Structures are given as C-alpha cells and as structure tokens.
Amino acid sequence: MKVEYTALKRNYELYENEYHKSVERILKSGWYILGPELEEFERRFAEYIGVKYCVGVNSGTDALILAIRALGIGTGDEVIVPAGTYIASVLGITENGATPVYVDSNEFLLMDTLAIEKKINEKTRAILPVHMYGQACDMDTITKLANRYNLYVIEDCAQCHGATWNEKMTGSFGDISCFSFYPTKPLGAFGDAGALVTNDPMLHDKLKMLRNYGSRIKYYNESIGVNSRLDEIQSAVLNIGLNHLDETNSMRKKIADRYLERIQNTRIAMPTINKLATHVFHLFPILVDDQMDFQEYLLKNGVKTQVHYPIPPYVAECYRNQGYVYDDFPRAAYIAKHEVSLPIYAGMPDEEVEYVISVVNSY
Ligand SMILES: *Cc1c(COP(=O)(O)O)cnc(C)c1O
C-alpha cells in the first residue's frame, strides 16, 4: 500500500460542492477585494476564537510581521520566542529590526515556560509563544510573566486553530494572535491566507490601516503600510472551512487517538499532552533514535513522512550572524534531529491509518 504524507485533494473533496457554489458566487459578484465575504469571515472567526476583532491578511507570515509592527516593536527591542519553531515565527521579529531571544523546548515539544523569566531584561518587549504541532502552550505562566514584567503577548496560532488551554481558545490570550490559513493548516485556504485577532479596538484599527497601504481613507496615507489583504475568494473558502473546522479537527483527533492507542514500539516516543491543553494534531510528531533510518524504512514500505523542522531558526543560514550553534538549545536540537511526522489529515482513509500503525509497529 502507498500512503501519501498528506492529500489536500481528499480534504477538498470532503466539501467539494460547497466550495464550488461559493467560489462561483464570488466570481459572478464582480467584487474581489475587501468585500462582504471577508467581513463575514472576520466577524465569524473572531467569534469562534472568542475575541472582538479579526483582520484578514495575505499569510501567517504577514500577520506576524504586522502584529509586531502594530505594537511598535523594532530596532533595539527583544522578543522571546521558542528555539523549536518554524522560521516564520522569527521572521516577523527580524523583519521589524527587533532581536529574537530564544528559549529551549519542553517535554511537550513546546516553549519551556520555566526558561522564559531568565531571558527577560529591560529590552524585552514581548513573549511570542507558538502552539506547535497543534498543542496549546501553558498560557497561564506566559500571561503571568507578561503581566508582571509589562510585556506584550503575541500568539503564533498557525498550527492550532481550535486548540484550547484550560478550556479557553488559543488566540484569545494574546494582545494580538496570528493565524495562517496555508492550505495544509487545520483551517486552510486554496492559496495563501492569514489573519490577526485582538480585543483592542486601537490595534484593530491600526492593523486594518497597515494591511491596506497604511491608508484609512482612500489616497490619504498616514502610515507606511503594505498590501496584505485576504481576498473574497479565499474568504469564501475559509467561511466554508470554518463551518466544518470542528468536524475536520475531530477527524484528525480520531486518527491521532488510534495512533496513540495502537502504536506500540519501544523505539518510538509518542507525543504527550499537557493536562490543561488540548491538541488539534495539525501534525503527529513522534521521536525516534535514528530519524533517517526510520524514514527510509517507512518509505520502503510505501509510507511517506516529513520532519518538522530539520533546521531550527536559531541555526538557519540567514541568521548565522546571531552566532548560535545547535547545542545552545539542546532539546530543540534533539527534536530537530529525532522528530518524524506521521501522515494525518482530514479525509485520510481508515485502511491507510491501519497500515501506518502496522508498519510502524513492525519497525
Ligand atoms: C505555517 C506557519 C507560519 C507561517 O504561515 P504562512 O501562512 O505560511 O506564512 C508561521 N508560524 C508557524 C508556526 C507556522 O507553522
């Protein structure tokens, strides 16, 4: 049997007719940018997360860049970020001229919240937790530290749409929270898309201006902005995806539960979930001694896998000037060298899930 790592086509086929109807409606409407479909999505997504405002943008990376810009964080400022994350979490910081200050990972493959306080100094402006793989970070500790030291919290929610910490939705803790709707994410568009959410009316206003050339009133430009708008077609796609988000999250959760229950192999460490967190399993990360050997074995048996992420941002070529080496953050380095993500997506056939379990168990 052949098992693809992911199959967006199957995901699309789940709600094919709804997507077609809605995209056709937008095409025929003659209104493609900053229209009613985006307004509806922004209103409904804010409501889903449990915050007042949402601003749609072009991508998750743009959301992170604009969040940091809107908070006035720039040159000379420091932002605390996990060492074990995808590089886009850090791009928003460096794009604004600020400095990323990394903390190592914990046993949940998330930012080690006990390591944050040591990194806080007079230059620190914000903490940027990332709910990696779909599991919520410990937002109690992060919120407490932010309040004590008067820091902003910017949540990177690119992988966790619908995950909760202590029964409260991720994305509702931060001063601003950033979402990606890249096609593979728990809520995905059919192209690039992203959003920011906030409870602050001033930030909401500023973000709407920044995404639209820095202009509130047409041809009157008060800030140096960008063009980063979520278009009507992608908004329509996301409105459908949002209707089914709890359903698609539970489809992946069912697969994850089967993996957790039935994969039994002493050579493999399964993901663990914090007591107060929920996990939406954007990815299913396991740890194994010999990453390459395990991937090759699975591939020989027809199962494709991926690694998230092989080169952590603190050792990325583009950040060589920061001067870090792998061992500076040993647990993040360990994850990079030992993590393998098993196939998991809404629409993955049962027999493929069963096959992955049997191949992994016989490794
Ligand atoms: C996908 C992702 C991003 C970037 O989102 P894009 O929409 O691809 O720009 C940021 N942070 C994390 C953790 C991600 O997984």
Side-chain angles (χ1 to χ4, degrees):
M1 189 185 279
K2 290 251 179 297
V3 179
E4 291 299 327
Y5 174 69
T6 193
L8 288 169
K9 192 166 179 289
R10 283 176 173 159
N11 199 301
Y12 149 78
E13 280 164 354
L14 291 173
Y15 312 110
E16 184 169 356
N17 291 338
E18 293 175 57
Y19 287 130
H20 282 217
K21 260 210 310 241
S22 171
V23 169
E24 189 181 6
R25 182 167 40 87
I26 303 301
L27 291 176
K28 287 181 171 167
S29 78
W31 193 338
Y32 309 118
I33 303 261
L34 294 183
E37 213 48 56
L38 171 64
E39 273 173 35
E40 185 184 332
F41 176 71
E42 288 176 336
R43 184 181 52 71
R44 294 182 55 223
F45 193 65
E47 190 179 26
Y48 181 84
I49 299 300
V51 296
K52 290 204 184 102
Y53 309 105
C54 169
V55 177
V57 292
N58 269 346
S59 69
T61 305
D62 271 5
L64 287 154
I65 293 171
L66 294 179
I68 287 167
R69 190 169 305 171
L71 292 169
I73 298 170
T75 310
D77 296 332
E78 294 183 356
V79 177
I80 296 174
V81 66
T85 184
Y86 181 56
I87 196 156
S89 311
V90 185
L91 288 175
I93 301 168
T94 54
E95 181 66 23
N96 285 286
T99 304
V101 172
Y102 299 102
V103 301
D104 209 353
S105 309
N106 63 15
E107 73 268 37
F108 304 110
L109 318 185
L110 299 170
M111 179 181 222
D112 179 7
T113 49
L114 301 175
I116 295 174
E117 195 163 16
K118 301 194 272 296
K119 307 275 175 157
I120 298 174
N121 63 47
E122 65 286 352
K123 291 184 188 158
T124 312
R125 298 287 310 283
I127 306 172
L128 198 159
V130 187
H131 308 291
M132 288 290 289
Y133 307 106
Q135 179 174 193
C137 295
D138 171 357
M139 292 311 295
D140 290 342
T141 305
I142 291 167
T143 307
K144 232 180 271 166
L145 286 170
N147 288 340
R148 186 179 313 153
Y149 294 99
N150 198 23
L151 306 174
Y152 292 121
V153 173
I154 304 156
E155 290 179 73
D156 182 339
C157 296
Q159 307 193 352
C160 67
H161 318 57
T164 57
W165 172 262
N166 206 0
E167 291 173 12
K168 198 165 169 269
M169 199 65 94
T170 49
S172 68
F173 295 90
D175 293 281
I176 303 184
S177 301
C178 302
F179 286 85
S180 165
F181 307 119
Y182 182 80
T184 60
K185 303 288 163 95
L187 176 56
F190 296 138
D192 275 313
L196 306 101
V197 301
T198 182
N199 277 315
D200 184 332
M202 305 263 282
L203 285 174
H204 173 233
D205 202 47
K206 201 160 175 186
L207 290 166
K208 277 176 76 167
M209 176 176 71
L210 286 174
R211 76 164 171 196
N212 192 37
Y213 318 112
S215 168
R216 233 183 288 255
I217 300 158
K218 205 168 188 180
Y219 305 133
Y220 178 74
N221 293 77
E222 52 189 293
S223 285
I224 302 174
V226 296
N227 174 357
S228 185
R229 298 172 302 219
L230 179 54
D231 68 64
E232 290 291 281
I233 291 180
Q234 299 304 343
S235 300
V237 166
L238 289 167
N239 272 319
I240 304 223
L242 184 55
N243 289 340
H244 299 292
L245 179 55
D246 290 339
E247 191 180 335
T248 47
N249 275 349
S250 84
M251 288 179 197
R252 283 194 318 283
K253 179 74 167 56
K254 274 198 194 116
I255 298 169
D257 285 344
R258 277 161 77 185
Y259 283 163
L260 286 167
E261 223 177 271
R262 308 245 323 277
I263 292 179
Q264 266 154 15
N265 187 324
T266 50
R267 299 174 73 185
I268 288 160
M270 300 294 276
T272 52
I273 306 173
N274 202 326
K275 275 199 308 293
L276 290 176
T278 61
H279 197 319
V280 294
F281 290 100
H282 165 51
L283 303 173
F284 194 92
I286 61 121
L287 299 174
V288 63
D289 261 347
D290 192 335
Q291 188 184 53
M292 205 191 284
D293 181 66
F294 180 64
Q295 284 197 290
E296 272 169 16
Y297 162 83
L298 286 179
L299 194 58
K300 250 190 261 145
N301 286 282
V303 177
K304 289 187 188 161
T305 55
Q306 288 188 6
V307 172
H308 297 92
Y309 295 86
I311 305 172
Y314 68 93
V315 285
E317 177 69 25
C318 63
Y319 290 143
R320 213 170 39 185
N321 65 326
Q322 293 172 1
Y324 293 109
V325 295
Y326 267 96
D327 279 350
D328 288 332
F329 305 99
R331 279 170 290 178
Y334 185 89
I335 293 165
K337 288 175 178 159
H338 297 270
E339 193 272 353
V340 175
S341 298
L342 299 181
I344 188 165
Y345 59 90
M348 184 174 173
D350 276 355
E351 57 278 17
E352 293 190 12
V353 177
E354 289 302 314
Y355 182 68
V356 171
I357 292 169
S358 75
V359 172
V360 171
N361 279 343
S362 60
Y363 173 61

